[in-house]
mmCIF file of all heavy atoms in Angstrom:
data_model
loop_
_atom_site.group_PDB
_atom_site.id
_atom_site.type_symbol
_atom_site.label_atom_id
_atom_site.label_comp_id
_atom_site.label_asym_id
_atom_site.label_seq_id
_atom_site.Cartn_x
_atom_site.Cartn_y
_atom_site.Cartn_z
ATOM 1 N N ILE V 25 -4.770 2.394 23.777
ATOM 2 C CA ILE V 25 -4.270 2.507 25.155
ATOM 3 C C ILE V 25 -5.347 2.065 26.209
ATOM 4 O O ILE V 25 -6.461 2.644 26.198
ATOM 5 C CB ILE V 25 -4.001 4.029 25.439
ATOM 6 C CG1 ILE V 25 -2.847 4.491 24.506
ATOM 7 C CG2 ILE V 25 -3.587 4.277 26.867
ATOM 8 C CD1 ILE V 25 -1.467 4.123 24.849
ATOM 9 N N ASP V 26 -5.025 1.106 26.952
ATOM 10 C CA ASP V 26 -5.686 0.775 28.260
ATOM 11 C C ASP V 26 -7.213 0.637 28.116
ATOM 12 O O ASP V 26 -7.944 1.089 29.091
ATOM 13 C CB ASP V 26 -5.325 1.845 29.280
ATOM 14 C CG ASP V 26 -3.857 1.867 29.567
ATOM 15 O OD1 ASP V 26 -3.073 1.117 29.026
ATOM 16 O OD2 ASP V 26 -3.448 2.750 30.371
ATOM 17 N N GLN V 28 -9.244 -1.246 29.133
ATOM 18 C CA GLN V 28 -9.387 -2.344 30.083
ATOM 19 C C GLN V 28 -10.700 -2.244 30.899
ATOM 20 O O GLN V 28 -11.242 -1.158 31.171
ATOM 21 C CB GLN V 28 -8.262 -2.354 31.043
ATOM 22 C CG GLN V 28 -6.864 -2.592 30.393
ATOM 23 C CD GLN V 28 -5.787 -2.097 31.388
ATOM 24 O OE1 GLN V 28 -5.185 -1.057 31.117
ATOM 25 N NE2 GLN V 28 -5.481 -2.850 32.408
ATOM 26 N N PHE V 31 -10.851 0.230 33.759
ATOM 27 C CA PHE V 31 -11.126 1.647 33.532
ATOM 28 C C PHE V 31 -12.572 1.864 33.060
ATOM 29 O O PHE V 31 -13.148 2.894 33.273
ATOM 30 C CB PHE V 31 -10.162 2.242 32.493
ATOM 31 C CG PHE V 31 -8.743 2.299 33.018
ATOM 32 C CD1 PHE V 31 -7.755 1.403 32.655
ATOM 33 C CD2 PHE V 31 -8.335 3.310 33.930
ATOM 34 C CE1 PHE V 31 -6.515 1.449 33.130
ATOM 35 C CE2 PHE V 31 -7.070 3.325 34.447
ATOM 36 C CZ PHE V 31 -6.173 2.460 34.056
ATOM 37 N N PHE V 37 -10.691 0.034 38.777
ATOM 38 C CA PHE V 37 -9.876 1.149 39.223
ATOM 39 C C PHE V 37 -10.514 2.492 39.028
ATOM 40 O O PHE V 37 -10.506 3.337 39.949
ATOM 41 C CB PHE V 37 -8.518 1.053 38.501
ATOM 42 C CG PHE V 37 -7.535 2.085 38.901
ATOM 43 C CD1 PHE V 37 -7.029 2.173 40.196
ATOM 44 C CD2 PHE V 37 -7.062 2.988 37.979
ATOM 45 C CE1 PHE V 37 -6.101 3.123 40.559
ATOM 46 C CE2 PHE V 37 -6.094 3.951 38.325
ATOM 47 C CZ PHE V 37 -5.577 3.964 39.665
ATOM 48 N N LEU V 41 -11.866 5.474 42.072
ATOM 49 C CA LEU V 41 -11.431 6.894 42.151
ATOM 50 C C LEU V 41 -12.602 7.861 42.152
ATOM 51 O O LEU V 41 -12.327 9.069 42.167
ATOM 52 C CB LEU V 41 -10.442 7.195 41.040
ATOM 53 C CG LEU V 41 -9.112 6.363 41.021
ATOM 54 C CD1 LEU V 41 -8.352 6.619 39.741
ATOM 55 C CD2 LEU V 41 -8.273 6.632 42.228
ATOM 56 N N GLU V 74 -2.491 -1.011 31.516
ATOM 57 C CA GLU V 74 -1.846 -0.513 32.731
ATOM 58 C C GLU V 74 -2.153 -1.487 33.859
ATOM 59 O O GLU V 74 -3.274 -1.925 34.084
ATOM 60 C CB GLU V 74 -2.389 0.898 33.104
ATOM 61 C CG GLU V 74 -1.724 1.418 34.367
ATOM 62 C CD GLU V 74 -2.181 2.804 34.780
ATOM 63 O OE1 GLU V 74 -2.908 3.495 33.999
ATOM 64 O OE2 GLU V 74 -1.858 3.226 35.912
ATOM 65 N N LYS V 131 2.135 -2.370 30.871
ATOM 66 C CA LYS V 131 2.884 -1.185 31.334
ATOM 67 C C LYS V 131 2.543 -0.872 32.795
ATOM 68 O O LYS V 131 1.363 -0.855 33.128
ATOM 69 C CB LYS V 131 2.651 -0.052 30.411
ATOM 70 C CG LYS V 131 1.188 0.514 30.343
ATOM 71 C CD LYS V 131 1.108 1.624 29.300
ATOM 72 C CE LYS V 131 -0.227 2.264 29.254
ATOM 73 N NZ LYS V 131 -0.660 2.950 30.460
ATOM 74 N N LYS V 134 1.883 5.341 33.257
ATOM 75 C CA LYS V 134 0.914 6.010 32.415
ATOM 76 C C LYS V 134 1.376 5.920 30.923
ATOM 77 O O LYS V 134 0.613 5.710 30.019
ATOM 78 C CB LYS V 134 0.625 7.432 32.849
ATOM 79 C CG LYS V 134 0.207 7.546 34.303
ATOM 80 C CD LYS V 134 -0.994 6.678 34.632
ATOM 81 C CE LYS V 134 -1.490 6.930 36.079
ATOM 82 N NZ LYS V 134 -2.441 5.904 36.511
ATOM 83 N N VAL V 159 -7.965 5.260 26.389
ATOM 84 C CA VAL V 159 -8.288 6.082 27.572
ATOM 85 C C VAL V 159 -7.129 6.105 28.584
ATOM 86 O O VAL V 159 -6.280 5.234 28.603
ATOM 87 C CB VAL V 159 -9.515 5.437 28.314
ATOM 88 C CG1 VAL V 159 -10.742 5.475 27.424
ATOM 89 C CG2 VAL V 159 -9.318 4.003 28.794
ATOM 90 N N THR V 160 -7.092 7.162 29.426
ATOM 91 C CA THR V 160 -7.879 8.371 29.241
ATOM 92 C C THR V 160 -7.152 9.427 28.464
ATOM 93 O O THR V 160 -5.873 9.430 28.475
ATOM 94 C CB THR V 160 -8.355 8.955 30.583
ATOM 95 O OG1 THR V 160 -7.174 9.312 31.344
ATOM 96 C CG2 THR V 160 -9.125 7.911 31.430
ATOM 97 N N THR V 161 -7.828 10.340 27.837
ATOM 98 C CA THR V 161 -7.200 11.306 26.941
ATOM 99 C C THR V 161 -6.032 12.062 27.612
ATOM 100 O O THR V 161 -4.941 12.094 27.036
ATOM 101 C CB THR V 161 -8.274 12.295 26.463
ATOM 102 O OG1 THR V 161 -9.382 11.608 26.030
ATOM 103 C CG2 THR V 161 -7.735 13.160 25.280
ATOM 104 N N VAL V 163 -4.497 11.467 30.474
ATOM 105 C CA VAL V 163 -3.542 10.732 31.288
ATOM 106 C C VAL V 163 -2.667 9.807 30.363
ATOM 107 O O VAL V 163 -1.660 10.279 29.807
ATOM 108 C CB VAL V 163 -4.216 9.967 32.478
ATOM 109 C CG1 VAL V 163 -3.181 9.411 33.373
ATOM 110 C CG2 VAL V 163 -5.072 11.006 33.270
ATOM 111 N N CYS V 164 -3.122 8.579 30.184
ATOM 112 C CA CYS V 164 -2.223 7.623 29.462
ATOM 113 C C CYS V 164 -2.144 7.918 27.984
ATOM 114 O O CYS V 164 -1.045 7.655 27.387
ATOM 115 C CB CYS V 164 -2.712 6.216 29.744
ATOM 116 S SG CYS V 164 -2.409 5.758 31.485
ATOM 117 N N VAL V 165 -3.179 8.434 27.339
ATOM 118 C CA VAL V 165 -3.052 8.763 25.880
ATOM 119 C C VAL V 165 -2.049 9.934 25.776
ATOM 120 O O VAL V 165 -1.116 9.905 24.966
ATOM 121 C CB VAL V 165 -4.434 9.146 25.322
ATOM 122 C CG1 VAL V 165 -4.278 9.716 23.877
ATOM 123 C CG2 VAL V 165 -5.307 7.886 25.277
ATOM 124 N N TYR V 189 -12.866 10.687 31.917
ATOM 125 C CA TYR V 189 -13.944 10.796 32.894
ATOM 126 C C TYR V 189 -14.347 12.316 33.013
ATOM 127 O O TYR V 189 -15.306 12.617 33.694
ATOM 128 C CB TYR V 189 -13.439 10.337 34.298
ATOM 129 C CG TYR V 189 -12.950 8.918 34.294
ATOM 130 C CD1 TYR V 189 -11.624 8.613 34.607
ATOM 131 C CD2 TYR V 189 -13.852 7.833 33.953
ATOM 132 C CE1 TYR V 189 -11.205 7.261 34.610
ATOM 133 C CE2 TYR V 189 -13.411 6.515 33.986
ATOM 134 C CZ TYR V 189 -12.046 6.262 34.278
ATOM 135 O OH TYR V 189 -11.633 4.940 34.316
HETATM 136 C C1 C5J Q 1 -5.319 6.522 34.403
HETATM 137 C C2 C5J Q 1 -5.108 5.765 32.112
HETATM 138 N N1 C5J Q 1 -6.216 7.477 34.102
HETATM 139 N N2 C5J Q 1 -5.021 4.676 31.463
HETATM 140 N N3 C5J Q 1 -4.884 5.648 33.500
HETATM 141 O O1 C5J Q 1 -5.020 6.390 35.559
HETATM 142 O O2 C5J Q 1 -5.309 6.870 31.642
#
Side-chain angles (χ1 to χ4, degrees):
I25 300 284
D26 300 357
Q28 294 162 255
F31 292 103
F37 181 61
L41 299 171
E74 180 179 348
K131 62 184 184 64
K134 304 305 182 193
V159 297
T160 60
T161 314
V163 185
C164 292
V165 171
Y189 303 118

